[in-house]
Amino acid sequence: MIKKLFALTALLISIVGCAQNEETNFRKEALSNAMVTVENEPIEFAEILKKYEGKTIVIDVWASWCSDCIKGMPKLKELQVKYPDAIYLFISMDKTYEAWKNGIEKYDVNGEHYLTSDGMKGVFGKSINLNWIPRYMIVDKTGKIALYNVIEADDEKLIKTLESLK
């Protein structure tokens, strides 16, 4: 009985430990995922990251139909004022190019914009374990993921990460 209890405890600790590990690199599937520019041109996620090499990148995964995303925009705009040297990269999960473009204009979303080709449950979404939007990530100047997952633009972890990367 004690051996079973010990084994179960060890298993639980290892599961919890693994669940808390955050990714520091994007998976190959994410990097090769085809997205669309505002000019309606295809681009791979790896090319997008390369464009902003040497910069801190705040990634906001959002959609124009997402009420939580829209509610979070004022907080994100405050971040843009407080941390103007970061690149703000918006990756949309909108279902159509038109809805995405209209959402950018309607909500006055300022930054770099890209549209995923297959939505939240697609290749990119699965590769970053996307289960909620908005989703914020931070990539440091070396291209490593410094913050993997927060859902509030004013999350303390997000602020601390940006402060540490100044």
Side-chain angles (χ1 to χ4, degrees):
M1 178 69 172
I2 291 180
K3 283 184 182 179
K4 285 183 182 178
L5 189 56
F6 179 78
L8 187 59
T9 303
L11 178 64
L12 187 59
I13 289 169
S14 70
I15 289 171
V16 170
C18 289
Q20 291 175 344
N21 285 343
E22 292 201 341
E23 301 284 334
T24 57
N25 291 301
F26 287 100
R27 294 182 189 161
K28 189 167 44 171
E29 301 85 15
L31 294 170
S32 62
N33 188 250
M35 297 190 176
V36 176
T37 67
V38 288
E39 294 83 20
N40 206 11
E41 296 292 326
I43 188 169
E44 285 189 356
F45 186 58
E47 291 176 70
I48 296 168
L49 292 175
K50 189 163 182 57
K51 281 175 70 171
Y52 308 111
E53 229 170 33
K55 300 270 190 187
T56 297
I57 306 168
V58 176
I59 298 175
D60 181 348
V61 182
W62 76 295
S64 65
W65 50 260
C66 167
S67 61
D68 286 342
C69 299
I70 305 315
K71 281 189 242 168
M73 286 294 173
K75 294 175 189 174
L76 187 76
K77 288 178 183 191
E78 288 173 20
L79 273 185
Q80 289 176 311
V81 169
K82 190 171 181 182
Y83 303 98
D85 294 335
I87 298 295
Y88 292 85
L89 181 63
F90 295 88
I91 299 177
S92 175
M93 295 293 143
D94 274 295
K95 292 171 179 44
T96 68
Y97 177 81
E98 292 75 23
W100 169 54
K101 290 278 292 199
N102 291 338
I104 293 169
E105 191 173 317
K106 180 178 180 178
Y107 300 112
D108 191 30
V109 185
N110 296 306
E112 304 300 315
H113 297 277
Y114 299 92
L115 175 67
T116 56
S117 55
D118 54 6
M120 285 182 65
K121 304 278 187 225
V123 173
F124 184 78
K126 286 179 184 173
S127 71
I128 64 165
N129 304 312
L130 187 63
N131 59 5
W132 188 264
I133 57 174
R135 159 81 173 274
Y136 304 97
M137 304 172 80
I138 298 176
V139 177
D140 70 17
K141 293 174 181 165
T142 69
K144 296 281 185 199
I145 301 170
L147 181 67
Y148 187 65
N149 184 4
V150 296
I151 61 170
E152 297 282 340
D154 60 353
D155 188 292
E156 191 175 309
K157 287 194 297 187
L158 190 141
I159 306 298
K160 283 182 178 177
T161 304
L162 282 171
E163 282 294 323
S164 74
L165 297 174
K166 269 186 163 179

